[in-house]
Amino acid sequence: MSYTFGLSVLGARGSMPVNGKNFMIYGGATSCYRILAGNEEIYLDAGNGILNANIESATRITILLTHMHLDHIIGLPFFVALGQANRRVDIFAKDRSGLTVQEALDRLISPPFWPLKIGQYPADITFNELPNKNFSIGAVDVDTMEGNHPLGSTIYRLTYHGKSIVYATDFEHDPEACDSLIHFAKDCDLLLYDAQYKDNEYEKYRGYGHSTPQFGFEVGSKANAKKILFVHHAPQRTDEELFVMEKEFSSHDDKVMFAKDGDEILL
C-alpha cells in the first residue's frame, strides 16, 4: 500500500461560486478538497469545486460533508464517480434539522429541481450518519467535533500514518469554540480554517458563522499546527485582495497560506 497522504484544493470559495478575471488565481469554485491517503480517496465537501476532481481508477471514494448549506453540496450531482456503475461511493454527514443525510440531499437534488436523486445514480452509493465516536476509512482515522455555525457544521480530523489534517470551515470564533478547536487540532500537520472576513468586516457579519485570518492564525499557533491554510474566501474577495492578505500573513510566518485552486499539499 502507498503511504502517500496529500490534499488538493478543488474549490475554496465560500457562500456562492464566482467567476471572471478577478477570480482566476484563488478560484471561484465552492468548498471541495480531495485527500489521497494510500488507496483511499476522500473528498471534504462537495461544492462545485468537485467538478475539478480527477478520480483514481482503483481507489475507494468517500465524501465527508460538513453540513448541507448549498455551497457545500451544489457540485454533488456533477461528481463524475456517481456515474460509474462499478464504483462505490460512501457519503457521510451528520443528521440535522430532523433529516437523515439522504433525506436532506433529496430535498434539493430531486425533481422538479433535478432529474435524479443522488441514490438513483449508477454508482453503488451509501448514505451514512456520522457515528458519535471515532471511525476509520481504511487506514485513515476520522475524528469529529461540532463547529460553531448556524444549524451546525462538522469539523473533521483525518489521521494517516501519524500525519493529520483538520478541516474547520464554516466556523465562527468565540472563546469556548476556539478553545475546543485548539484542543481538537493540537499538533496537526495541516489546519484548514475558515477566514471569510477581514477584521474590519467581521462586526457587520457577526453571527453568520465565519471567522477571520487573524483568529485562524491565533488558533493554529496555539494548536501548534505545522501549516495553516485559509479557506472559504468571501465571494467578492478578488485575487488582488487575497494576494495582499496572504503576503501580510506570510511575512510574519511562512506556515500560513491562502488556498488557491489547484494547490497540492503533500504531508
Side-chain angles (χ1 to χ4, degrees), residues 40-57:
E40 304 295 337
E41 190 168 347
I42 301 170
Y43 290 84
L44 302 174
D45 280 327
N48 72 306
I50 206 167
L51 274 72
N52 299 320
N54 183 17
I55 63 174
E56 302 289 325
S57 60

Side-chain angles (χ1 to χ4, degrees), residues 1 21 32 75 155 160 171 174 182 184 195 206 210 233 235 243 250:
M1 174 184 288
K21 64 181 181 180
C32 186
I155 296 173
Y160 180 69
F171 172 84
D174 66 32
I182 290 166
F184 183 78
R206 181 183 291 272
H210 301 286
H233 308 315
F243 177 78
S250 61

Side-chain angles (χ1 to χ4, degrees), residues 226-245:
K226 295 180 177 61
K227 293 181 184 295
I228 303 170
L229 186 67
F230 290 135
V231 300
H232 212 273
H233 308 315
Q236 74 277 14
R237 192 87 64 218
T238 66
D239 287 338
E240 183 178 356
E241 290 176 293
L242 286 165
F243 177 78
V244 171
M245 292 168 67

Side-chain angles (χ1 to χ4, degrees), residues 13-129:
R13 191 63 57 169
S15 300
M16 65 178 296
V18 294
N19 59 50
K21 64 181 181 180
N22 292 323
F23 309 102
M24 301 293 290
I25 298 173
Y26 293 85
T30 59
S31 299
C32 186
Y33 305 87
R34 175 182 180 269
I35 292 174
L36 194 63
N39 293 327
E40 304 295 337
E41 190 168 347
I42 301 170
Y43 290 84
L44 302 174
D45 280 327
N48 72 306
I50 206 167
L51 274 72
N52 299 320
N54 183 17
I55 63 174
E56 302 289 325
S57 60
T59 51
R60 179 172 59 176
I61 290 180
T62 303
I63 300 172
L64 302 177
L65 298 174
T66 56
H67 60 311
M68 296 294 176
H69 285 173
L70 293 179
D71 51 321
H72 294 261
I73 63 171
I74 198 168
L76 193 56
F78 304 93
F79 184 36
V80 64
L82 299 184
Q84 299 178 346
N86 61 343
R87 177 74 75 165
R88 175 169 174 173
V89 179
D90 288 300
I91 301 174
F92 284 85
K94 185 174 181 178
D95 292 356
R96 298 185 185 276
S97 300
L99 299 173
T100 67
V101 180
Q102 186 169 6
E103 288 170 344
L105 290 173
D106 285 351
R107 284 281 187 97
L108 174 69
I109 306 167
S110 63
F113 309 108
W114 192 252
L116 298 174
K117 297 179 180 180
I118 294 299
Q120 295 174 318
Y121 277 68
D124 178 13
I125 300 163
T126 61
F127 301 91
N128 306 277
E129 153 72 347

